Amino acid sequence: MSAYITVYGFDQITREYLGPARAYADPKQPDRYALPANCREDAPPAAPERYAARATSTGWEVVEDHRGETWYQPDTREAVKISELGPVPEGLVAELPPPSLEDVRKTKLVAILSSADAVGQVIYEGYSRLEQDSWPEQRADALALLADPDAPAPLIRAMALARGISETELRDKVLANVERARTISAAIMGQQQARETLAKAALTLAGLEAIPDTPESYIIPEV
């Protein structure tokens, strides 16, 4: 009886064949070998590419091995990375067909809206959330003071006092900011809507792809 025999190990969880090992003679039963855990005495079958040998309760089987591959959900176009032994889950496809014109159109319209929102944030740069929330009241007070210098305008009067400037000066600053926001908003919305019109009318993928849809592509007036 030789000192050891070759046995074949497999992973405890996936039961995938890992490689050969040695089983040595059992000191308590010299005529037997002590089989290591997760090992079989029979050799696994050869597994071709993209297949792996896996231990069963009675022997070995050869199963598909797509681990590490990326497949796709055709309806959502979501990428799915395969992480387990076995066939690819039903319904997945190896390659997505080119997106339809309508799919690209939907994506383009979302990108146009998102980019308009992003570039529109320039209006709020340098202002606290507290200030932004008060803008409607500031505007109302400023317009009231413009129409009647003796109008109540409690917010502007309190702000002017705290800042140490005249109510008239603060009124004019508020109205200038209102005009700045209006001018920038009008420019952004005009460009956004023009792009939406082009996207909705486009008849080809090339035509859709040519429509700008990034924040950097907007022209913001200097005011």
Side-chain angles (χ1 to χ4, degrees):
M1 179 175 172
S2 61
Y4 66 85
I5 60 172
T6 299
V7 293
Y8 304 90
F10 55 87
D11 185 86
Q12 181 177 4
I13 297 176
T14 67
R15 303 186 70 80
E16 174 191 7
Y17 171 59
L18 297 178
R22 290 180 177 181
Y24 292 90
D26 189 337
K28 297 181 180 180
Q29 303 181 68
D31 59 335
R32 301 185 63 180
Y33 293 95
L35 196 67
N38 303 317
C39 285
R40 296 187 60 85
E41 293 187 37
D42 53 320
E49 186 178 0
R50 293 191 177 182
Y51 283 80
R54 181 169 62 185
T56 69
S57 58
T58 58
W60 297 92
E61 64 178 349
V62 174
V63 296
E64 295 178 46
D65 184 5
H66 299 278
R67 290 173 298 178
E69 297 177 5
T70 299
W71 288 60
Y72 302 90
Q73 290 279 5
D75 51 347
T76 63
R77 305 183 73 82
E78 178 185 0
V80 177
K81 193 165 187 178
I82 307 299
S83 60
E84 298 182 0
L85 278 174
V88 174
E90 187 176 353
L92 298 182
V93 295
E95 294 183 3
L96 285 174
S100 69
L101 181 64
E102 289 312 308
D103 286 339
V104 176
R105 194 189 315 279
K106 290 176 183 178
T107 301
K108 176 63 71 171
L109 288 170
V110 169
I112 290 171
L113 292 178
S114 297
S115 63
D117 284 339
V119 75
Q121 292 303 307
V122 69
I123 295 173
Y124 306 101
E125 290 177 358
Y127 296 96
S128 69
R129 185 66 192 179
L130 184 64
E131 289 178 286
Q132 296 174 35
D133 290 343
S134 74
W135 283 356
E137 187 178 353
Q138 288 189 46
R139 177 178 181 275
D141 278 7
L143 291 174
L145 287 173
L146 187 64
D148 178 7
D150 296 323
L155 181 60
I156 281 187
R157 293 189 189 281
M159 290 174 60
L161 180 63
R163 289 182 61 173
I165 61 177
S166 70
E167 296 162 4
T168 300
E169 183 179 356
L170 183 55
R171 177 202 68 188
D172 292 344
K173 288 179 179 293
V174 169
L175 292 176
N177 283 338
V178 168
E179 185 58 32
R180 172 181 177 273
R182 180 186 292 113
T183 300
I184 294 176
S185 296
I188 294 172
M189 288 188 291
Q191 294 171 72
Q192 169 204 314
Q193 292 169 6
R195 295 172 184 193
E196 288 179 292
T197 298
L198 290 174
K200 291 174 181 177
L203 299 178
T204 65
L205 290 175
L208 276 171
E209 291 169 355
I211 300 170
D213 61 5
T214 64
E216 296 76 20
S217 62
Y218 279 81
I219 299 174
I220 303 175
E222 294 184 5
V223 291

